[in-house]
Amino acid sequence: MKKLLADKISLLKGDITKVKCDAIVNAANSSLLGGGGVDGAIHRQAGPELLEDCRRVRNAQGGCPTGKAVITVAGKLPAKYVIHTVGPVWRGGASGEESLLRDCYLNSLSLASENGLETVAFPNISTGIYGYPKDKACAVAVSAVNEFLASDTIVKEVVFVCFDDENFRLYQDFIGN
Ligand code: ADP
């Protein structure tokens, strides 16, 4: 599996707010009104236009449930769109965390595909404030993305953007590049 879609999956160490692609994914919270971690960084760089569009989505559908995804404009970011997904809070692993995390990746990519977006960058969803063990989250992320790309014809490239050394090393080992 590791080698199968290596041409469509890549790895980057750094700050996702600097990545120029069709959509970056935000590890949001269900309020969609901004938070800490990568969410805070994305809102800071994007400016008020992003928060305004998040408010519009929130007013229309009342936030975003865990495992689901919504799309907004990207304000001042180099990316064209932001896809916001809400990862599960780690509660020991027996509360459906794995399936919810998997849904985050699959639903984000479905939304990208429906909107004709070809390049998508992901942060390591749930592995910060939400406490999901990084090794387990990496395995779920790579397997979900690999599965999606095997059957989708729109999304051409997925980049995993690792902010911290531990995640970067785990993804290097797992993907093999
Ligand atoms: P969650 O609440 O889903 O755990 P966090 O934002 O706390 O979300 O953390 C998710 C991951 O995002 C963590 O691995 C953290 O290191 C990473 N992260 C934080 N800032 C950035 C950034 N600017 N770009 C990419 N990843 C980031």
mmCIF file of all heavy atoms in Angstrom, residues 130-177:
data_model
loop_
_atom_site.group_PDB
_atom_site.id
_atom_site.type_symbol
_atom_site.label_atom_id
_atom_site.label_comp_id
_atom_site.label_asym_id
_atom_site.label_seq_id
_atom_site.Cartn_x
_atom_site.Cartn_y
_atom_site.Cartn_z
ATOM 1 N N TYR A 130 -6.442 18.058 20.590
ATOM 2 C CA TYR A 130 -7.408 16.960 20.727
ATOM 3 C C TYR A 130 -6.774 15.632 21.160
ATOM 4 O O TYR A 130 -7.478 14.656 21.421
ATOM 5 C CB TYR A 130 -8.226 16.791 19.448
ATOM 6 C CG TYR A 130 -9.322 17.836 19.278
ATOM 7 C CD1 TYR A 130 -9.503 18.853 20.207
ATOM 8 C CD2 TYR A 130 -10.198 17.815 18.186
ATOM 9 C CE1 TYR A 130 -10.503 19.817 20.062
ATOM 10 C CE2 TYR A 130 -11.196 18.771 18.036
ATOM 11 C CZ TYR A 130 -11.337 19.773 18.973
ATOM 12 O OH TYR A 130 -12.336 20.713 18.820
ATOM 13 N N GLY A 131 -5.428 15.576 21.199
ATOM 14 C CA GLY A 131 -4.748 14.480 21.898
ATOM 15 C C GLY A 131 -4.724 13.105 21.260
ATOM 16 O O GLY A 131 -4.410 12.108 21.935
ATOM 17 N N TYR A 132 -5.030 12.998 19.988
ATOM 18 C CA TYR A 132 -5.010 11.685 19.320
ATOM 19 C C TYR A 132 -3.544 11.227 19.214
ATOM 20 O O TYR A 132 -2.697 11.991 18.749
ATOM 21 C CB TYR A 132 -5.614 11.842 17.916
ATOM 22 C CG TYR A 132 -6.221 10.594 17.317
ATOM 23 C CD1 TYR A 132 -7.576 10.507 17.049
ATOM 24 C CD2 TYR A 132 -5.434 9.490 17.004
ATOM 25 C CE1 TYR A 132 -8.138 9.364 16.486
ATOM 26 C CE2 TYR A 132 -5.983 8.351 16.446
ATOM 27 C CZ TYR A 132 -7.341 8.303 16.188
ATOM 28 O OH TYR A 132 -7.889 7.161 15.634
ATOM 29 N N PRO A 133 -3.213 10.012 19.616
ATOM 30 C CA PRO A 133 -1.822 9.562 19.509
ATOM 31 C C PRO A 133 -1.319 9.683 18.064
ATOM 32 O O PRO A 133 -1.985 9.237 17.128
ATOM 33 C CB PRO A 133 -1.875 8.101 19.961
ATOM 34 C CG PRO A 133 -3.105 8.013 20.801
ATOM 35 C CD PRO A 133 -4.081 8.986 20.212
ATOM 36 N N LYS A 134 -0.131 10.285 17.921
ATOM 37 C CA LYS A 134 0.332 10.663 16.576
ATOM 38 C C LYS A 134 0.574 9.459 15.670
ATOM 39 O O LYS A 134 0.290 9.514 14.478
ATOM 40 C CB LYS A 134 1.598 11.516 16.704
ATOM 41 C CG LYS A 134 1.289 12.888 17.273
ATOM 42 C CD LYS A 134 2.526 13.739 17.500
ATOM 43 C CE LYS A 134 2.105 15.081 18.088
ATOM 44 N NZ LYS A 134 3.224 15.915 18.493
ATOM 45 N N ASP A 135 1.102 8.374 16.237
ATOM 46 C CA ASP A 135 1.361 7.208 15.386
ATOM 47 C C ASP A 135 0.067 6.605 14.863
ATOM 48 O O ASP A 135 -0.062 6.263 13.685
ATOM 49 C CB ASP A 135 2.215 6.162 16.134
ATOM 50 C CG ASP A 135 1.602 5.729 17.454
ATOM 51 O OD1 ASP A 135 0.708 6.436 17.997
ATOM 52 O OD2 ASP A 135 2.005 4.672 17.966
ATOM 53 N N LYS A 136 -0.919 6.512 15.734
ATOM 54 C CA LYS A 136 -2.218 5.954 15.316
ATOM 55 C C LYS A 136 -2.898 6.872 14.304
ATOM 56 O O LYS A 136 -3.481 6.423 13.317
ATOM 57 C CB LYS A 136 -3.137 5.787 16.529
ATOM 58 C CG LYS A 136 -2.712 4.688 17.486
ATOM 59 C CD LYS A 136 -3.790 4.487 18.557
ATOM 60 C CE LYS A 136 -3.556 3.250 19.401
ATOM 61 N NZ LYS A 136 -2.288 3.306 20.157
ATOM 62 N N ALA A 137 -2.821 8.176 14.531
ATOM 63 C CA ALA A 137 -3.454 9.142 13.618
ATOM 64 C C ALA A 137 -2.805 9.102 12.240
ATOM 65 O O ALA A 137 -3.495 9.198 11.220
ATOM 66 C CB ALA A 137 -3.371 10.548 14.204
ATOM 67 N N CYS A 138 -1.496 8.925 12.219
ATOM 68 C CA CYS A 138 -0.763 8.852 10.945
ATOM 69 C C CYS A 138 -1.240 7.652 10.124
ATOM 70 O O CYS A 138 -1.516 7.779 8.923
ATOM 71 C CB CYS A 138 0.733 8.766 11.237
ATOM 72 S SG CYS A 138 1.757 8.405 9.813
ATOM 73 N N ALA A 139 -1.368 6.526 10.756
ATOM 74 C CA ALA A 139 -1.813 5.317 10.049
ATOM 75 C C ALA A 139 -3.210 5.501 9.466
ATOM 76 O O ALA A 139 -3.481 5.127 8.314
ATOM 77 C CB ALA A 139 -1.774 4.118 10.998
ATOM 78 N N VAL A 140 -4.099 6.106 10.242
ATOM 79 C CA VAL A 140 -5.475 6.338 9.778
ATOM 80 C C VAL A 140 -5.478 7.317 8.604
ATOM 81 O O VAL A 140 -6.142 7.095 7.581
ATOM 82 C CB VAL A 140 -6.356 6.894 10.930
ATOM 83 C CG1 VAL A 140 -7.731 7.316 10.422
ATOM 84 C CG2 VAL A 140 -6.493 5.863 12.043
ATOM 85 N N ALA A 141 -4.704 8.399 8.743
ATOM 86 C CA ALA A 141 -4.672 9.444 7.713
ATOM 87 C C ALA A 141 -4.171 8.880 6.387
ATOM 88 O O ALA A 141 -4.814 9.063 5.344
ATOM 89 C CB ALA A 141 -3.770 10.592 8.175
ATOM 90 N N VAL A 142 -3.050 8.179 6.429
ATOM 91 C CA VAL A 142 -2.466 7.675 5.180
ATOM 92 C C VAL A 142 -3.380 6.633 4.550
ATOM 93 O O VAL A 142 -3.606 6.643 3.331
ATOM 94 C CB VAL A 142 -1.044 7.110 5.413
ATOM 95 C CG1 VAL A 142 -0.492 6.498 4.134
ATOM 96 C CG2 VAL A 142 -0.107 8.205 5.921
ATOM 97 N N SER A 143 -3.953 5.772 5.350
ATOM 98 C CA SER A 143 -4.810 4.734 4.767
ATOM 99 C C SER A 143 -6.089 5.329 4.182
ATOM 100 O O SER A 143 -6.528 4.946 3.093
ATOM 101 C CB SER A 143 -5.060 3.620 5.783
ATOM 102 O OG SER A 143 -6.409 3.474 6.076
ATOM 103 N N ALA A 144 -6.680 6.320 4.842
ATOM 104 C CA ALA A 144 -7.910 6.943 4.318
ATOM 105 C C ALA A 144 -7.626 7.678 3.004
ATOM 106 O O ALA A 144 -8.364 7.539 2.029
ATOM 107 C CB ALA A 144 -8.498 7.898 5.352
ATOM 108 N N VAL A 145 -6.535 8.437 2.977
ATOM 109 C CA VAL A 145 -6.191 9.208 1.774
ATOM 110 C C VAL A 145 -5.870 8.261 0.617
ATOM 111 O O VAL A 145 -6.324 8.444 -0.515
ATOM 112 C CB VAL A 145 -5.012 10.169 2.059
ATOM 113 C CG1 VAL A 145 -4.426 10.730 0.773
ATOM 114 C CG2 VAL A 145 -5.470 11.300 2.975
ATOM 115 N N ASN A 146 -5.110 7.245 0.919
ATOM 116 C CA ASN A 146 -4.748 6.267 -0.107
ATOM 117 C C ASN A 146 -5.994 5.602 -0.699
ATOM 118 O O ASN A 146 -6.127 5.482 -1.922
ATOM 119 C CB ASN A 146 -3.838 5.223 0.532
ATOM 120 C CG ASN A 146 -3.000 4.500 -0.482
ATOM 121 O OD1 ASN A 146 -2.227 5.122 -1.185
ATOM 122 N ND2 ASN A 146 -3.194 3.207 -0.589
ATOM 123 N N GLU A 147 -6.905 5.246 0.174
ATOM 124 C CA GLU A 147 -8.153 4.605 -0.272
ATOM 125 C C GLU A 147 -8.957 5.557 -1.158
ATOM 126 O O GLU A 147 -9.456 5.174 -2.216
ATOM 127 C CB GLU A 147 -8.976 4.200 0.963
ATOM 128 C CG GLU A 147 -10.315 3.584 0.638
ATOM 129 C CD GLU A 147 -11.198 3.501 1.879
ATOM 130 O OE1 GLU A 147 -10.740 2.972 2.912
ATOM 131 O OE2 GLU A 147 -12.345 3.994 1.806
ATOM 132 N N PHE A 148 -9.047 6.818 -0.743
ATOM 133 C CA PHE A 148 -9.818 7.786 -1.518
ATOM 134 C C PHE A 148 -9.214 7.980 -2.909
ATOM 135 O O PHE A 148 -9.917 7.953 -3.920
ATOM 136 C CB PHE A 148 -9.888 9.133 -0.787
ATOM 137 C CG PHE A 148 -10.749 10.127 -1.500
ATOM 138 C CD1 PHE A 148 -12.104 10.214 -1.236
ATOM 139 C CD2 PHE A 148 -10.213 10.962 -2.478
ATOM 140 C CE1 PHE A 148 -12.910 11.107 -1.923
ATOM 141 C CE2 PHE A 148 -11.012 11.856 -3.173
ATOM 142 C CZ PHE A 148 -12.361 11.934 -2.894
ATOM 143 N N LEU A 149 -7.901 8.182 -2.934
ATOM 144 C CA LEU A 149 -7.226 8.477 -4.204
ATOM 145 C C LEU A 149 -7.305 7.311 -5.185
ATOM 146 O O LEU A 149 -7.269 7.510 -6.402
ATOM 147 C CB LEU A 149 -5.759 8.844 -3.953
ATOM 148 C CG LEU A 149 -5.527 10.183 -3.246
ATOM 149 C CD1 LEU A 149 -4.045 10.373 -2.940
ATOM 150 C CD2 LEU A 149 -6.049 11.345 -4.088
ATOM 151 N N ALA A 150 -7.436 6.113 -4.654
ATOM 152 C CA ALA A 150 -7.502 4.938 -5.523
ATOM 153 C C ALA A 150 -8.768 4.927 -6.368
ATOM 154 O O ALA A 150 -8.804 4.323 -7.438
ATOM 155 C CB ALA A 150 -7.409 3.669 -4.684
ATOM 156 N N SER A 151 -9.826 5.626 -5.921
ATOM 157 C CA SER A 151 -11.069 5.571 -6.695
ATOM 158 C C SER A 151 -11.526 6.924 -7.239
ATOM 159 O O SER A 151 -12.445 6.997 -8.036
ATOM 160 C CB SER A 151 -12.185 4.956 -5.840
ATOM 161 O OG SER A 151 -12.388 5.771 -4.717
ATOM 162 N N ASP A 152 -10.889 8.023 -6.805
ATOM 163 C CA ASP A 152 -11.315 9.347 -7.257
ATOM 164 C C ASP A 152 -10.533 9.752 -8.503
ATOM 165 O O ASP A 152 -9.368 9.405 -8.646
ATOM 166 C CB ASP A 152 -11.066 10.371 -6.142
ATOM 167 C CG ASP A 152 -11.506 11.759 -6.536
ATOM 168 O OD1 ASP A 152 -12.729 12.003 -6.516
ATOM 169 O OD2 ASP A 152 -10.649 12.590 -6.870
ATOM 170 N N THR A 153 -11.203 10.512 -9.397
ATOM 171 C CA THR A 153 -10.517 10.912 -10.626
ATOM 172 C C THR A 153 -10.215 12.415 -10.673
ATOM 173 O O THR A 153 -9.635 12.900 -11.626
ATOM 174 C CB THR A 153 -11.372 10.565 -11.866
ATOM 175 O OG1 THR A 153 -12.655 11.174 -11.694
ATOM 176 C CG2 THR A 153 -11.531 9.069 -12.021
ATOM 177 N N ILE A 154 -10.611 13.162 -9.641
ATOM 178 C CA ILE A 154 -10.431 14.622 -9.651
ATOM 179 C C ILE A 154 -9.182 15.041 -8.872
ATOM 180 O O ILE A 154 -8.343 15.789 -9.361
ATOM 181 C CB ILE A 154 -11.670 15.340 -9.045
ATOM 182 C CG1 ILE A 154 -12.962 14.914 -9.747
ATOM 183 C CG2 ILE A 154 -11.472 16.856 -9.073
ATOM 184 C CD1 ILE A 154 -13.096 15.347 -11.169
ATOM 185 N N VAL A 155 -9.081 14.578 -7.635
ATOM 186 C CA VAL A 155 -7.963 15.002 -6.783
ATOM 187 C C VAL A 155 -6.674 14.342 -7.270
ATOM 188 O O VAL A 155 -6.596 13.111 -7.382
ATOM 189 C CB VAL A 155 -8.228 14.660 -5.296
ATOM 190 C CG1 VAL A 155 -7.060 15.114 -4.429
ATOM 191 C CG2 VAL A 155 -9.526 15.309 -4.812
ATOM 192 N N LYS A 156 -5.687 15.179 -7.569
ATOM 193 C CA LYS A 156 -4.443 14.671 -8.171
ATOM 194 C C LYS A 156 -3.307 14.543 -7.159
ATOM 195 O O LYS A 156 -2.400 13.757 -7.339
ATOM 196 C CB LYS A 156 -3.956 15.620 -9.277
ATOM 197 C CG LYS A 156 -4.954 15.863 -10.376
ATOM 198 C CD LYS A 156 -4.879 14.738 -11.413
ATOM 199 C CE LYS A 156 -5.801 14.998 -12.592
ATOM 200 N NZ LYS A 156 -7.229 14.963 -12.244
ATOM 201 N N GLU A 157 -3.337 15.408 -6.136
ATOM 202 C CA GLU A 157 -2.216 15.390 -5.203
ATOM 203 C C GLU A 157 -2.660 15.754 -3.786
ATOM 204 O O GLU A 157 -3.411 16.723 -3.588
ATOM 205 C CB GLU A 157 -1.137 16.383 -5.652
ATOM 206 C CG GLU A 157 0.165 16.150 -4.913
ATOM 207 C CD GLU A 157 1.180 17.275 -5.063
ATOM 208 O OE1 GLU A 157 0.936 18.196 -5.853
ATOM 209 O OE2 GLU A 157 2.189 17.224 -4.352
ATOM 210 N N VAL A 158 -2.197 14.980 -2.832
ATOM 211 C CA VAL A 158 -2.456 15.268 -1.424
ATOM 212 C C VAL A 158 -1.110 15.449 -0.719
ATOM 213 O O VAL A 158 -0.207 14.623 -0.865
ATOM 214 C CB VAL A 158 -3.260 14.128 -0.757
ATOM 215 C CG1 VAL A 158 -3.307 14.300 0.751
ATOM 216 C CG2 VAL A 158 -4.674 14.091 -1.323
ATOM 217 N N VAL A 159 -1.003 16.548 0.011
ATOM 218 C CA VAL A 159 0.225 16.830 0.751
ATOM 219 C C VAL A 159 -0.084 16.754 2.249
ATOM 220 O O VAL A 159 -1.008 17.420 2.735
ATOM 221 C CB VAL A 159 0.752 18.250 0.427
ATOM 222 C CG1 VAL A 159 2.099 18.485 1.117
ATOM 223 C CG2 VAL A 159 0.872 18.463 -1.065
ATOM 224 N N PHE A 160 0.683 15.957 2.963
ATOM 225 C CA PHE A 160 0.591 15.956 4.425
ATOM 226 C C PHE A 160 1.590 16.980 4.940
ATOM 227 O O PHE A 160 2.795 16.857 4.703
ATOM 228 C CB PHE A 160 0.923 14.577 4.999
ATOM 229 C CG PHE A 160 -0.136 13.547 4.744
ATOM 230 C CD1 PHE A 160 0.084 12.518 3.838
ATOM 231 C CD2 PHE A 160 -1.363 13.605 5.398
ATOM 232 C CE1 PHE A 160 -0.895 11.561 3.599
ATOM 233 C CE2 PHE A 160 -2.348 12.653 5.155
ATOM 234 C CZ PHE A 160 -2.116 11.629 4.263
ATOM 235 N N VAL A 161 1.091 17.998 5.627
ATOM 236 C CA VAL A 161 1.961 19.052 6.141
ATOM 237 C C VAL A 161 2.161 18.830 7.639
ATOM 238 O O VAL A 161 1.219 18.941 8.433
ATOM 239 C CB VAL A 161 1.352 20.446 5.888
ATOM 240 C CG1 VAL A 161 2.302 21.532 6.360
ATOM 241 C CG2 VAL A 161 1.028 20.630 4.407
ATOM 242 N N CYS A 162 3.401 18.467 7.989
ATOM 243 C CA CYS A 162 3.705 18.166 9.389
ATOM 244 C C CYS A 162 4.422 19.350 10.017
ATOM 245 O O CYS A 162 5.455 19.795 9.508
ATOM 246 C CB CYS A 162 4.578 16.917 9.477
ATOM 247 S SG CYS A 162 3.785 15.476 8.754
ATOM 248 N N PHE A 163 3.872 19.833 11.097
ATOM 249 C CA PHE A 163 4.403 21.021 11.760
ATOM 250 C C PHE A 163 5.469 20.638 12.786
ATOM 251 O O PHE A 163 6.439 21.343 12.975
ATOM 252 C CB PHE A 163 3.234 21.736 12.439
ATOM 253 C CG PHE A 163 3.521 23.125 12.886
ATOM 254 C CD1 PHE A 163 3.822 24.112 11.965
ATOM 255 C CD2 PHE A 163 3.453 23.458 14.228
ATOM 256 C CE1 PHE A 163 4.062 25.410 12.375
ATOM 257 C CE2 PHE A 163 3.694 24.755 14.647
ATOM 258 C CZ PHE A 163 4.003 25.737 13.719
ATOM 259 N N ASP A 164 5.259 19.509 13.421
ATOM 260 C CA ASP A 164 6.218 19.110 14.468
ATOM 261 C C ASP A 164 7.070 17.930 14.006
ATOM 262 O O ASP A 164 6.675 17.157 13.140
ATOM 263 C CB ASP A 164 5.488 18.795 15.789
ATOM 264 C CG ASP A 164 4.458 17.699 15.644
ATOM 265 O OD1 ASP A 164 4.816 16.519 15.801
ATOM 266 O OD2 ASP A 164 3.287 18.014 15.342
ATOM 267 N N ASP A 165 8.270 17.825 14.603
ATOM 268 C CA ASP A 165 9.239 16.798 14.204
ATOM 269 C C ASP A 165 8.695 15.390 14.342
ATOM 270 O O ASP A 165 8.938 14.538 13.495
ATOM 271 C CB ASP A 165 10.501 16.903 15.068
ATOM 272 C CG ASP A 165 11.249 18.192 14.810
ATOM 273 O OD1 ASP A 165 11.074 18.754 13.712
ATOM 274 O OD2 ASP A 165 11.983 18.649 15.706
ATOM 275 N N GLU A 166 7.969 15.138 15.433
ATOM 276 C CA GLU A 166 7.502 13.775 15.677
ATOM 277 C C GLU A 166 6.568 13.316 14.552
ATOM 278 O O GLU A 166 6.713 12.215 14.016
ATOM 279 C CB GLU A 166 6.779 13.705 17.035
ATOM 280 C CG GLU A 166 6.476 12.287 17.465
ATOM 281 C CD GLU A 166 5.603 12.216 18.704
ATOM 282 O OE1 GLU A 166 5.392 13.261 19.376
ATOM 283 O OE2 GLU A 166 5.099 11.114 18.988
ATOM 284 N N ASN A 167 5.620 14.184 14.181
ATOM 285 C CA ASN A 167 4.719 13.815 13.088
ATOM 286 C C ASN A 167 5.484 13.631 11.787
ATOM 287 O O ASN A 167 5.234 12.683 11.040
ATOM 288 C CB ASN A 167 3.636 14.887 12.907
ATOM 289 C CG ASN A 167 2.365 14.554 13.668
ATOM 290 O OD1 ASN A 167 1.896 13.413 13.641
ATOM 291 N ND2 ASN A 167 1.813 15.536 14.349
ATOM 292 N N PHE A 168 6.428 14.531 11.539
ATOM 293 C CA PHE A 168 7.178 14.441 10.280
ATOM 294 C C PHE A 168 7.900 13.103 10.181
ATOM 295 O O PHE A 168 7.852 12.429 9.151
ATOM 296 C CB PHE A 168 8.158 15.613 10.160
ATOM 297 C CG PHE A 168 8.863 15.674 8.837
ATOM 298 C CD1 PHE A 168 8.159 15.893 7.657
ATOM 299 C CD2 PHE A 168 10.232 15.507 8.760
ATOM 300 C CE1 PHE A 168 8.806 15.940 6.427
ATOM 301 C CE2 PHE A 168 10.886 15.555 7.534
ATOM 302 C CZ PHE A 168 10.171 15.775 6.368
ATOM 303 N N ARG A 169 8.548 12.707 11.273
ATOM 304 C CA ARG A 169 9.276 11.424 11.272
ATOM 305 C C ARG A 169 8.325 10.244 11.077
ATOM 306 O O ARG A 169 8.614 9.312 10.328
ATOM 307 C CB ARG A 169 10.060 11.251 12.572
ATOM 308 C CG ARG A 169 11.450 11.865 12.514
ATOM 309 C CD ARG A 169 12.308 11.342 13.647
ATOM 310 N NE ARG A 169 11.720 11.654 14.953
ATOM 311 C CZ ARG A 169 11.922 12.800 15.600
ATOM 312 N NH1 ARG A 169 12.680 13.741 15.065
ATOM 313 N NH2 ARG A 169 11.365 13.011 16.766
ATOM 314 N N LEU A 170 7.191 10.299 11.751
ATOM 315 C CA LEU A 170 6.216 9.208 11.613
ATOM 316 C C LEU A 170 5.738 9.072 10.174
ATOM 317 O O LEU A 170 5.653 7.967 9.633
ATOM 318 C CB LEU A 170 4.995 9.463 12.522
ATOM 319 C CG LEU A 170 5.197 9.199 14.006
ATOM 320 C CD1 LEU A 170 4.075 9.834 14.824
ATOM 321 C CD2 LEU A 170 5.243 7.692 14.263
ATOM 322 N N TYR A 171 5.436 10.195 9.546
ATOM 323 C CA TYR A 171 4.960 10.154 8.157
ATOM 324 C C TYR A 171 6.071 9.705 7.212
ATOM 325 O O TYR A 171 5.822 8.944 6.275
ATOM 326 C CB TYR A 171 4.391 11.516 7.722
ATOM 327 C CG TYR A 171 2.953 11.708 8.127
ATOM 328 C CD1 TYR A 171 2.616 12.063 9.431
ATOM 329 C CD2 TYR A 171 1.918 11.507 7.231
ATOM 330 C CE1 TYR A 171 1.295 12.225 9.815
ATOM 331 C CE2 TYR A 171 0.594 11.673 7.608
ATOM 332 C CZ TYR A 171 0.293 12.031 8.894
ATOM 333 O OH TYR A 171 -1.021 12.182 9.269
ATOM 334 N N GLN A 172 7.295 10.150 7.488
ATOM 335 C CA GLN A 172 8.428 9.698 6.655
ATOM 336 C C GLN A 172 8.541 8.185 6.705
ATOM 337 O O GLN A 172 8.696 7.526 5.685
ATOM 338 C CB GLN A 172 9.733 10.295 7.171
ATOM 339 C CG GLN A 172 10.083 11.608 6.555
ATOM 340 C CD GLN A 172 11.434 12.110 7.063
ATOM 341 O OE1 GLN A 172 11.746 11.986 8.239
ATOM 342 N NE2 GLN A 172 12.218 12.667 6.174
ATOM 343 N N ASP A 173 8.461 7.641 7.906
ATOM 344 C CA ASP A 173 8.568 6.188 8.063
ATOM 345 C C ASP A 173 7.403 5.482 7.377
ATOM 346 O O ASP A 173 7.567 4.447 6.754
ATOM 347 C CB ASP A 173 8.567 5.804 9.549
ATOM 348 C CG ASP A 173 9.874 6.197 10.210
ATOM 349 O OD1 ASP A 173 10.808 6.567 9.469
ATOM 350 O OD2 ASP A 173 9.949 6.156 11.452
ATOM 351 N N PHE A 174 6.223 6.068 7.510
ATOM 352 C CA PHE A 174 5.015 5.393 7.031
ATOM 353 C C PHE A 174 4.882 5.452 5.519
ATOM 354 O O PHE A 174 4.513 4.484 4.870
ATOM 355 C CB PHE A 174 3.791 6.023 7.691
ATOM 356 C CG PHE A 174 2.687 5.053 7.889
ATOM 357 C CD1 PHE A 174 2.645 4.243 9.010
ATOM 358 C CD2 PHE A 174 1.682 4.928 6.937
ATOM 359 C CE1 PHE A 174 1.629 3.328 9.175
ATOM 360 C CE2 PHE A 174 0.661 4.013 7.105
ATOM 361 C CZ PHE A 174 0.633 3.210 8.227
ATOM 362 N N ILE A 175 5.186 6.613 4.955
ATOM 363 C CA ILE A 175 5.014 6.789 3.512
ATOM 364 C C ILE A 175 6.266 6.352 2.761
ATOM 365 O O ILE A 175 6.200 5.889 1.633
ATOM 366 C CB ILE A 175 4.675 8.256 3.168
ATOM 367 C CG1 ILE A 175 3.315 8.623 3.757
ATOM 368 C CG2 ILE A 175 4.655 8.494 1.664
ATOM 369 C CD1 ILE A 175 2.977 10.089 3.622
ATOM 370 N N GLY A 176 7.403 6.540 3.424
ATOM 371 C CA GLY A 176 8.653 6.108 2.809
ATOM 372 C C GLY A 176 9.214 7.104 1.815
ATOM 373 O O GLY A 176 9.803 6.714 0.819
ATOM 374 N N ASN A 177 8.976 8.403 2.055
ATOM 375 C CA ASN A 177 9.684 9.388 1.209
ATOM 376 C C ASN A 177 10.161 10.572 2.026
ATOM 377 O O ASN A 177 10.000 10.604 3.229
ATOM 378 C CB ASN A 177 8.828 9.857 0.032
ATOM 379 C CG ASN A 177 7.639 10.713 0.437
ATOM 380 O OD1 ASN A 177 7.415 10.991 1.604
ATOM 381 N ND2 ASN A 177 6.866 11.144 -0.541
#
